[in-house]
Amino acid sequence: MAGIGLIALTAASTAQNIQSSREQERVARSTAAFNKEVALKNARLSTERAEQEAKTARRDTSILIASQQATSAASGVVTTVGSPLLARMEQAREGELEALNILRRGEIEKIGFEEEASFRDFEERVAKVKGSNERTGFLLSGISQGILTGNRLKR
C-alpha cells in the first residue's frame, strides 16, 4: 500500500512541476510581449519627437534669420547682396544641418528600440520552447520515477 502512495506522490509532484512550469512560461512570455510593445511604442515616439524637434529647429532658424535681416535693414544695410546675404545663407545651411542631425539621431534611437523589440520577440519564443522542454523533462522524470518505484515494489 505504501508503494502506491509513493507512486501517487511522484505523480502529484510531476503534475505540480508541470503546472509551475506552465505558469513560469506564461509570465515570461507575457513580460517579453509587454516589453516588446513598450519598445515599439518608444520607437514610434522617438521618431515623432525627432520630427517635432527638427521642425522647432527649422522654425527657430527662420526666426533668427528674419530677426538678423530686420536688424540689418533697420540699420540701413542692404541685405539682399554681399556679406549679409551670404551670412543668411550660411545661417540657413547650419539650421538645416541641425534639423537633419536631429532627425538622424531620432532614426538611430528608433532603430535601437526596434532591435530591442525584436530581441523581446525572440525572448518570448525562447520562453515558449524552454517551457515546453522543461515540461517534457518533468513528465519523463516523473514517469521514470514511477517505473522505478513500481519495480522496487515488485521485489
Side-chain angles (χ1 to χ4, degrees):
M1 208 55 161
I4 293 176
L6 286 175
I7 292 173
L9 283 174
T10 300
S13 174
T14 300
Q16 178 59 37
N17 286 339
I18 288 171
Q19 182 56 36
S20 175
S21 174
R22 276 193 185 115
E23 183 60 20
Q24 288 174 0
E25 177 191 337
R26 185 193 66 74
V27 168
R29 290 179 69 191
S30 147
T31 300
F34 175 79
N35 288 337
K36 173 185 168 185
E37 289 306 312
V38 168
L40 290 173
K41 181 179 178 183
N42 285 339
R44 286 187 299 275
L45 290 174
S46 68
T47 299
E48 291 171 9
R49 181 188 43 75
E51 288 170 354
Q52 186 59 43
E53 286 180 15
K55 183 178 176 179
T56 299
R58 286 180 175 127
R59 187 191 72 232
D60 291 348
T61 299
S62 294
I63 290 170
L64 177 64
I65 291 170
S67 174
Q68 289 172 343
Q69 185 175 1
T71 301
S72 295
S75 64
V77 176
V78 177
T79 60
T80 57
V81 293
S83 294
L85 176 61
L86 293 175
R88 281 197 330 270
M89 289 172 60
E90 179 64 19
Q91 189 70 41
R93 186 182 74 76
E94 290 294 324
E96 184 58 21
L97 282 176
E98 180 183 351
L100 292 174
N101 279 331
I102 290 168
L103 291 172
R104 183 176 151 269
R105 284 191 304 269
E107 183 65 22
I108 290 169
E109 190 175 70
K110 174 187 163 206
I111 289 169
F113 284 125
E114 288 173 340
E115 287 175 357
E116 182 180 346
S118 178
F119 172 74
R120 298 303 181 182
D121 187 53
F122 174 74
E123 194 174 49
E124 186 178 0
R125 291 191 313 265
V126 166
K128 180 179 181 181
V129 171
K130 180 182 177 236
S132 176
N133 289 343
E134 194 174 70
R135 287 188 299 279
T136 300
F138 287 141
L139 182 61
L140 293 175
S141 176
I143 289 170
S144 69
Q145 286 296 322
I147 290 171
L148 287 172
T149 301
N151 286 339
R152 283 188 204 136
L153 292 175
K154 287 181 184 177
R155 293 183 204 164

